[in-house]
Amino acid sequence: MSAPHGTDRSPGSVGPDRTAPAARSALELRQEREVRGLTDADLPRLRRRTSGVLIAAQVLGGLGIPISIALAPVLATEVSGTEAVSGLASTASVVGTALVSLPLAALMTARGRRAGLVLAYVIGAVGGGLVVLAAVLKNFPLLLLGMAAFGAASSANLQCRFAAADLAAPDRRARAISTVVWATTIGAVLGPNLSAPASRSFAGTSIPDKAGPFLWAAGIFLLTALLIGVLLRPDPLLTARALAGPAEQSTAGRSLRAAFAAVRASPRARLALVTVAVTHTAMVSIMVMTPVDLGHHGADLQLIGLVISGHIAGMFAFSPVMGWLADRLGRLSVIGLAAGLLSIAALLAGTAGANHAQTAAGLFLLGLGWSAGLVSGSALLTDSVPQAARAAVQGLSDLTMNTCAGVGGAVSGLIVSQAGYGWLNAVGAALLLPMAGLALFTARRHPAPVEGAGADTAKD
């Protein structure tokens, strides 16, 4: 690995320029401490270590979220005394995930990935405790506040994929992201199965059984925060900055205003932002109403669970394949694949009726298309903006995708009630048209920049 342009380093060293002016900020000094003594030979080991810590965090975080989130509507009904507001608990969690995204990105921009991830998981743990307190006190507003704070853990899980990309080589960046996304599979599979024993563990106490899993989740989030705080060293974002050229060292390009400017200035970044927002919105909108449609066509809870399990497998289990394709074939090619898979999924699910096997196939492809869009869009976004602005832009991306998905999930129920599940799938497919059109336009008018042009090279 050669030293970035404009630095003066000893052979084999990738540490900071020791001849730089003495007047440096505290953050710059911290960046120097993070990479002191790091050499070219150390980078592969550091990448593996960083990836291992993030995978472990993703498994734990992914375990804590589904262990309790499925019980949120039931607990909301018990606390409020009515089913009319049961959906607000899950909505509050989604809103919390979106609201935390930008402050979390701002903290990471200023202090690095470690500080932001630790704080987000701690907030999620506090949220779990508030949910339990709300259940004991039968206080519905406190329950909603707790669920909003609980959503911070979801935001941290999403940001882990970007932390994996910080030190990855450009031609392996999508695979680094996809490996961390894949790790969510373990928690997503095990979490729901632990809900029952977690509920029984507080039998005989004042804690309601439906609230018990939230206390377990709080403990898991605290363990995850401890893992990251102790082992995610050196900080991947601070290390990546320290290894970058002098042009990337200025703090002027790290504000949220600079993040908006970076997206506006890059057609490929705009495409990436649209991709993650549209694929996530289409997936969430269709997925949340599928159990309702299956129930209308005579499916029992076991069958509904199998269909959703297949959907989750499509979302996470094959993400390494999507990462490999995005690195080998190019980000835009996999964005096109995402549009195709999601369109076929909407067609199959929307026309299935009482054919449960067809619905299951549609939901599996829905998850697969989401995986293709999230991995390729996240990699393209990281490729397309300057190093200094990446953390802020990534936070903007998560805010956008979660806000759009929250709106989509809310509107999907209205569409189904007024027009039917088939029309919901048609609307979901229609959302993909501008994304596909923008991808074609970008591929023709704004090809991947050549190396040295100010962005990382990506094959398209």
Side-chain angles (χ1 to χ4, degrees):
M1 177 176 177
S2 61
H5 175 70
T7 59
D8 180 15
R9 300 190 176 133
S10 59
S13 171
V14 294
D17 179 9
R18 298 300 194 271
T19 64
R24 289 172 292 174
S25 69
L27 181 59
E28 289 171 325
L29 292 173
R30 181 181 173 190
Q31 289 175 190
E32 179 176 333
R33 289 195 300 270
E34 291 280 355
V35 298
R36 182 173 294 144
L38 189 65
T39 66
D40 291 333
D42 295 324
L43 281 177
R45 176 186 57 80
L46 178 57
R47 286 167 177 156
R48 290 193 298 271
R49 173 185 170 86
T50 299
S51 179
V53 173
L54 292 171
I55 287 172
Q58 195 79 342
V59 170
L60 286 172
L63 185 66
I65 295 168
I67 196 177
S68 50
I69 201 68
L71 296 175
V74 180
L75 184 60
T77 300
E78 289 186 359
V79 171
S80 66
T82 175
E83 291 184 353
V85 296
S86 61
L88 291 181
S90 298
T91 301
S93 179
V94 173
V95 170
T97 301
L99 290 179
V100 167
S101 298
L102 281 185
L104 181 60
L107 178 60
M108 288 181 179
T109 297
R111 300 297 179 187
R113 299 289 186 193
R114 189 168 59 243
L117 292 175
V118 167
L119 179 61
Y121 281 120
V122 169
I123 292 174
V126 171
L130 289 176
V131 169
V132 175
L133 181 61
V136 172
L137 299 178
K138 299 294 183 182
N139 188 317
F140 187 68
L142 183 60
L143 174 69
L144 295 183
L145 177 62
M147 287 303 302
F150 192 83
S154 295
S155 187
N157 261 29
L158 286 171
Q159 282 290 319
C160 279
R161 76 189 193 277
F162 289 125
D166 287 334
L167 293 174
D171 62 348
R172 298 187 65 87
R173 186 168 286 149
R175 275 170 280 189
I177 291 172
S178 66
T179 300
V180 172
V181 172
W182 171 85
T184 309
T185 310
I186 300 173
V189 171
L190 293 179
N193 294 310
L194 295 178
S195 294
S199 297
R200 292 193 298 268
S201 65
F202 293 97
T205 70
S206 60
I207 298 176
D209 59 347
K210 300 298 188 300
F214 286 91
L215 203 54
W216 276 58
I220 291 172
F221 293 156
L222 289 176
L223 178 61
T224 308
L226 179 64
L227 174 76
I228 290 175
V230 172
L231 297 182
L232 194 63
R233 297 173 184 272
D235 188 283
L237 179 59
L238 298 183
T239 303
R241 282 184 188 160
L243 300 180
E248 305 290 0
Q249 299 297 332
S250 172
T251 58
R254 298 176 189 169
S255 65
L256 293 178
R257 179 179 297 178
F260 282 101
V263 172
R264 286 197 302 269
S266 172
R268 296 168 68 80
R270 293 198 296 271
L271 170 62
L273 200 64
V274 169
T275 296
V276 295
V278 168
T279 55
H280 194 56
T281 302
M283 183 277 290
V284 169
S285 300
I286 295 172
M287 180 269 293
V288 296
M289 296 309 299
T290 298
V292 176
D293 183 70
L294 286 169
H296 289 163
H297 290 95
D300 58 19
L301 291 178
Q302 182 176 3
L303 179 57
I304 292 173
L306 288 174
V307 171
I308 298 302
S309 295
H311 169 68
I312 293 173
M315 288 175 65
F316 300 117
F318 295 89
S319 57
V321 176
M322 298 306 172
W324 182 83
L325 289 173
D327 282 336
R328 293 297 299 271
L329 303 180
R331 321 302 194 215
L332 270 61
S333 298
V334 180
I335 288 174
L337 175 63
L341 288 171
L342 290 168
S343 297
I344 296 172
L347 176 64
L348 289 175
T351 60
N355 188 335
H356 300 323
Q358 183 174 326
T359 301
L363 265 289
F364 173 76
L365 291 179
L366 186 72
L368 207 60
W370 175 88
S371 179
L374 183 76
V375 170
S376 59
S378 298
L380 181 62
L381 187 70
T382 304
D383 293 339
S384 303
V385 297
Q387 167 67 44
R390 280 179 185 168
V393 169
Q394 291 158 353
L396 175 63
S397 169
D398 282 354
L399 170 66
T400 303
M401 67 181 277
N402 283 296
T403 301
C404 291
V407 173
V411 172
S412 63
L414 296 176
I415 295 175
V416 170
S417 65
Q418 298 298 318
Y421 182 70
W423 276 104
L424 173 63
N425 281 271
V427 171
L431 291 176
L432 302 169
L433 294 177
M435 183 186 86
L438 184 59
L440 290 173
F441 176 81
T442 302
R444 292 179 180 178
R445 298 291 298 274
H446 303 283
V450 296
E451 191 170 355
D456 293 315
T457 302
K459 183 191 299 182
D460 286 316

